[in-house]
Amino acid sequence: PRVAKQMPVIEKFIDHAEHQQEELVREIDRLSDSYTFTKHELETSRQLTEQLRSIQEQFDQDQKAMATQSAIESEVLARLQEDDKNLKQIETQQGSLNDSLATMQEDEQKARHALAKFSSELRATKRRVESLNLPGLPKKYLDSFYLVSDELNKLIKAIDQPRINMDDITKQLIIVQSDLESLQERTNDIHDSAELTERLLQYSNRLVEQHPEIEKAQQKSQELYQKYQYDAALENIATALEDAEPGSYKRLENSYYQTAKEHDQI
């Protein structure tokens, strides 16, 4: 009786698993035109198909043996119980495989959105630097800018290929994001140093008569500024101001950042 009760249950379970497998195979065939599989999807699918074929063959043999009353029913029952366990494992693997396939197109759309965002941020960074009307930019900064630009161009080509590797694209996106953040930090440093240097040079004009040494510091900072050494130019004039009027640099710096903060909030 236990075999008679379990037989139709397993038969339905096999039919359901095979139907699911057919759907998975069709989806893999469809996606294979657009994506490179990197998580052993093809191998997993083939293994599942082979497992189901083996289960089906043994089940058919047991059905025939039961019909001709030549089966050892205790052995058939043991196989049915084993089939139930294996089919549950197959169902779990099919679910995981299906989830992996389902996220491919979603991941591509996310990657394209991120790529467009990074490209927009790089253009905004370029416009921001150009608006400063600086005499030039340090080589390290330019190297950083061109690195991000090259990485973005490489990504654009990779994602526009007929078949794309989402794992590789995702890894490249993480690298681009990190390099872009570093570039933006360098941009902030250049922007703040250049703007503060100009403010301090203007303020220092008030102190030249009482502190003639400031004029020499002004000339030195302007020379450094023209050589794109904005950090050094700021440090030089800031030191001279502090010597002449202690606390002046910190006051001007705080005023600058407060104004910048209010501007960002508008």
Side-chain angles (χ1 to χ4, degrees):
R2 293 175 65 186
V3 172
K5 181 179 179 180
Q6 191 73 0
M7 271 281 187
V9 174
I10 295 301
E11 185 173 24
K12 287 182 180 179
F13 205 164
I14 293 173
D15 288 343
H16 172 73
E18 288 180 335
H19 175 72
Q20 291 291 102
Q21 189 61 24
E22 289 170 3
E23 291 290 324
L24 278 173
V25 169
R26 278 196 290 270
E27 184 66 0
I28 287 174
D29 287 342
R30 183 181 72 83
L31 292 174
S32 65
D33 292 334
S34 303
Y35 300 97
T36 298
F37 296 119
T38 58
K39 298 177 181 176
H40 309 292
E41 290 91 347
L42 291 173
E43 294 87 342
T44 300
S45 178
R46 292 192 189 104
Q47 289 170 4
L48 293 177
T49 297
E50 181 60 28
Q51 280 182 267
L52 286 169
R53 185 192 63 78
S54 178
I55 290 172
Q56 180 70 69
E57 287 180 354
Q58 184 60 58
F59 182 82
D60 290 342
Q61 292 175 14
D62 287 338
Q63 265 192 328
K64 290 177 183 177
M66 290 294 294
T68 58
Q69 298 183 344
S70 60
I72 300 174
E73 294 182 2
S74 60
E75 294 180 359
V76 174
L77 179 61
R79 280 193 290 271
L80 292 175
Q81 291 171 337
E82 184 68 17
D83 288 345
D84 182 67
K85 185 178 77 171
N86 291 335
L87 287 166
K88 286 176 181 175
Q89 291 176 346
I90 288 172
E91 189 175 49
T92 299
Q93 287 180 281
Q94 287 176 330
S96 297
L97 182 55
N98 185 64
D99 291 343
S100 176
L101 296 175
T103 60
M104 280 188 171
Q105 290 173 306
E106 182 181 344
D107 288 345
E108 180 189 351
Q109 292 306 311
K110 288 180 180 178
R112 289 186 181 278
H113 177 75
L115 183 55
K117 177 174 174 286
F118 293 158
S119 296
S120 176
E121 289 179 0
L122 183 63
R123 289 193 296 271
T125 298
K126 182 181 179 182
R127 288 194 298 270
R128 184 184 178 200
V129 172
E130 289 174 343
S131 70
L132 294 173
N133 295 316
L134 299 172
L137 292 165
K139 184 178 182 302
K140 285 186 178 180
Y141 180 86
L142 290 173
D143 289 344
S144 179
F145 181 89
Y146 291 129
L147 172 66
V148 175
S149 180
D150 289 345
E151 288 172 345
L152 282 172
N153 288 332
K154 181 181 176 182
L155 255 178
I156 290 171
K157 291 180 180 178
I159 207 167
D160 285 338
Q161 292 296 312
R163 295 179 71 226
I164 61 178
N165 185 326
M166 280 310 305
D167 278 359
D168 184 52
I169 287 172
T170 300
K171 291 174 184 176
Q172 289 185 53
L173 279 171
I174 293 172
I175 294 172
V176 171
Q177 182 177 19
S178 176
D179 290 341
L180 181 57
E181 288 173 354
S182 296
L183 174 66
Q184 290 169 334
E185 288 176 3
R186 290 190 176 100
T187 302
N188 290 336
D189 290 342
I190 286 177
H191 178 275
D192 293 339
S193 294
E195 290 285 318
L196 271 170
T197 298
E198 291 181 359
R199 287 198 181 198
L200 266 58
L201 285 171
Q202 289 175 5
Y203 183 82
S204 67
N205 289 328
R206 306 178 187 180
L207 308 177
V208 171
E209 287 188 12
Q210 295 180 351
H211 301 277
E213 69 276 7
I214 289 231
E215 185 173 1
K216 186 176 180 181
Q218 288 177 328
Q219 293 173 353
K220 179 63 175 178
S221 286
Q222 288 169 345
E223 289 174 7
L224 292 168
Y225 192 95
Q226 291 301 318
K227 294 178 180 178
Y228 325 146
Q229 298 177 33
Y230 304 110
D231 289 344
L234 174 60
E235 182 180 358
N236 180 74
I237 191 62
T239 300
L241 280 180
E242 279 297 300
D243 290 340
E245 186 180 280
S248 59
Y249 169 64
K250 198 64 181 175
R251 187 178 71 254
L252 291 167
E253 183 186 42
N254 289 341
S255 173
Y256 168 77
Y257 283 115
Q258 181 61 36
T259 301
K261 182 179 178 181
E262 291 172 357
H263 181 270
D264 291 339
Q265 291 175 347
I266 296 175

